[in-house]
C-alpha cells in the first residue's frame, strides 16, 4: 500500500436506481470509446439495476458488447454453475444471456475446480493476459468486504481462496434454502488484483451500508475494513443513495 492516500469521489443519488443508471452510462461511454474494453463485474443485489440498464441499452440503443472482455470478482467454492445461488448463474440471468457478450470472453472463477489453488493462479494469469481491467464495478459488504475479501484479508493479495465471514454467510443466506446451505469458502480476486483496475466504481445502497461507507472514507487503511484499501487507488468513485451516504458527514463512524 502506498503511503499516499487518495480521496474517492462521492456521488449521492436520491434513489438507488439512479445510481445504477449513472454507472451504466459510464460503462456505455467507455464501450463507445473503447469497444474492446475490459470490464470487472460484481454480483449481489446492488448491481442488479445497473445490469438491467445495460440490457436495456443493448436492446434499445444497440450498445455493443461483442468485443468486450468481462471478469467477475468471485464465486463460491463447491456450487455447481447451475445452482440458483451461483454467481455463474447470476451473471447469465442478469446480464450475459441478454447482451451480445462473447462466452469465451466472460471469465468467472471456477469454484468447482479440483485444484482450487491452481484455479486462482489461472484466473490471475487471465487477468494479466487480458487486463488491466478498464472499469471495475464493486459492491461492499456490511462488514467492509470487497469481492469476498473479508476483514483480515491481505491488502496485497492476488486471487485467492477465502473463508467466508459468518456475517457474510448470514447476509447471503437469503439466496439459499437455509444458512447451512451457504458455502463456507469462495474464490475471489484479491485486493491487489482489484486495485490494478484503471478505474473503480463502488455502488452501495441502504442504511445497512452506511457504516462500511463511512469507514471506507475515514477509518485507517487496514485489513479490519478491506474497503479502506481503495484509498490506495487514485481513480475510485462511490455511487451511493442517501442512506448509504448518511454517515459521511458524521463526526465519527456509527
Ligand atoms: P449486496 O452485496 O449487493 O447483496 O448488498 C454486496 C457485497 O457483499 O459485496
Amino acid at each position: 500500500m502506498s503511503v499516499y492516500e487518495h480521496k474517492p469521489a462521492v456521488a449521492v443519488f436520491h434513489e438507488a436506481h439512479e445510481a445504477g443508471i449513472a454507472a451504466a452510462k459510464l460503462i456505455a461511454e467507455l464501450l463507445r470509446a473503447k469497444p474492446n474494453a475490459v470490464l470487472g463485474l460484481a454480483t449481489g443485489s446492488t448491481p442488479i439495476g445497473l445490469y438491467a440498464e445495460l440490457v436495456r441499452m443493448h436492446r434499445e440503443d444497440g450498445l455493443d458488447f461483442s468485443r468486450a472482455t468481462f471478469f467477475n470478482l468471485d464465486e463460491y467454492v463447491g456450487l455447481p454453475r447451475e445452482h440458483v445461488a451461483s454467481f455463474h448463474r447470476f451473471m447469465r440471468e442478469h446480464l450475459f444471456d441478454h447482451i451480445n457478450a462473447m462466452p469465451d470472453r466472460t471469465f468467472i472463477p471456477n469454484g468447482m475446480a479440483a485444484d482450487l489453488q491452481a484455479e486462482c493462479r489461472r484466473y490471475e494469469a487471465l487477468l494479466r493476459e487480458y487486463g488491466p481491467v478498464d472499469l471495475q464495478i464493486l459492491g461492499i459488504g456490511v462488514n467492509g468486504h470487497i469481492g469476498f475479501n473479508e476483514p483480515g484479508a491481505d491488502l496485497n493479495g492476488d486471487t485467492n481462496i477465502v473463508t467466508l465471514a459468518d456475517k457474510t454467510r448470514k447476509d447471503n443466506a437469503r439466496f439459499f434454502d437455509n444458512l447451512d446451505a451457504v458455502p463456507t469458502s469462495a474464490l475471489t480476486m484479491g485486493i491487489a488484483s482489484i486495485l490494478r483496475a484503471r478505474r473503480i466504481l463502488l455502488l452501495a445502497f441502504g442504511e445497512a451500508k452506511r457504516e462500511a461507507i463511512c469507514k471506507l472514507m475515514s477509518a485507517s487503511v487496514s485489513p479490519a475494513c478491506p474497503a479502506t484499501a481503495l484509498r490506495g487507488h487514485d481513480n475510485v468513485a462511490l455511487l451511493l443513495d442517501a442512506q448509504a451516504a448518511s454517515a459521511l458527514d458524521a463526526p465519527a463512524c456509527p
Side-chain angles (χ1 to χ4, degrees):
M1 175 69 48
S2 150
V3 291
Y4 300 107
E5 287 189 22
H6 306 276
K7 211 101 194 119
V10 177
V12 183
F13 297 81
H14 275 297
E15 302 286 342
H17 81 268
E18 294 169 330
I21 289 172
K25 280 194 179 133
L26 292 171
I27 290 178
E29 263 171 35
L30 171 65
L31 284 172
R32 289 194 179 109
K34 184 179 181 186
N36 63 346
V38 182
L39 299 173
L41 301 179
T43 52
S45 34
T46 303
I48 288 178
L50 155 63
Y51 297 150
E53 179 63 7
L54 290 178
V55 170
R56 190 201 64 72
M57 288 173 156
H58 173 65
R59 288 192 179 141
E60 295 177 17
D61 309 336
L63 184 63
D64 180 25
F65 295 88
S66 65
R67 294 176 58 199
T69 299
F70 304 82
F71 280 96
N72 263 81
L73 286 166
D74 46 15
E75 178 58 286
Y76 292 109
V77 166
L79 279 197
R81 283 164 191 234
E82 289 308 319
H83 191 286
V84 285
S86 87
F87 293 163
H88 280 77
R89 175 127 172 210
F90 176 100
M91 289 311 300
R92 283 203 310 277
E93 288 185 349
H94 288 284
L95 188 65
F96 295 147
D97 280 355
H98 313 290
I99 62 172
N100 62 339
M102 292 295 125
D104 63 348
R105 288 296 184 102
T106 61
F107 299 110
I108 305 179
N110 176 12
M112 295 294 285
D115 182 341
L116 294 169
Q117 294 286 2
E119 172 60 11
C120 292
R121 288 192 297 275
R122 183 189 76 90
Y123 204 70
E124 198 61 39
L126 285 169
L127 279 163
R128 282 167 197 268
E129 182 184 344
Y130 291 97
V133 167
D134 289 294
L135 180 61
Q136 174 70 55
I137 299 295
L138 291 180
I140 186 169
V142 170
N143 65 1
H145 74 204
I146 50 173
F148 268 141
N149 295 284
E150 302 283 24
D154 175 4
L155 300 189
N156 297 306
D158 285 339
T159 301
N160 61 111
I161 308 167
V162 293
T163 300
L164 296 176
D166 289 343
K167 172 73 182 138
T168 300
R169 293 184 64 243
K170 283 185 191 137
D171 286 346
N172 290 1
R174 65 190 193 277
F175 300 113
F176 293 82
D177 288 341
N178 53 59
L179 182 57
D180 287 341
V182 183
T184 54
S185 56
L187 304 185
T188 184
M189 280 168 59
I191 306 269
S193 338
I194 292 170
L195 293 183
R196 278 183 209 108
R198 293 185 207 271
R199 184 177 188 192
I200 296 174
L201 290 184
L202 182 144
L203 281 65
F205 309 132
E207 175 106 27
K209 300 290 173 73
R210 72 187 186 132
E211 180 183 350
I213 290 297
C214 182
K215 287 185 173 163
L216 186 174
M217 292 297 284
S218 56
S220 322
V221 174
S222 132
C225 179
T228 56
L230 293 170
R231 302 212 308 272
H233 194 290
D234 64 1
N235 196 347
V236 177
L238 313 185
L239 306 190
L240 311 174
D241 68 0
Q243 286 83 13
S246 60
L248 283 178
D249 295 327
C253 292

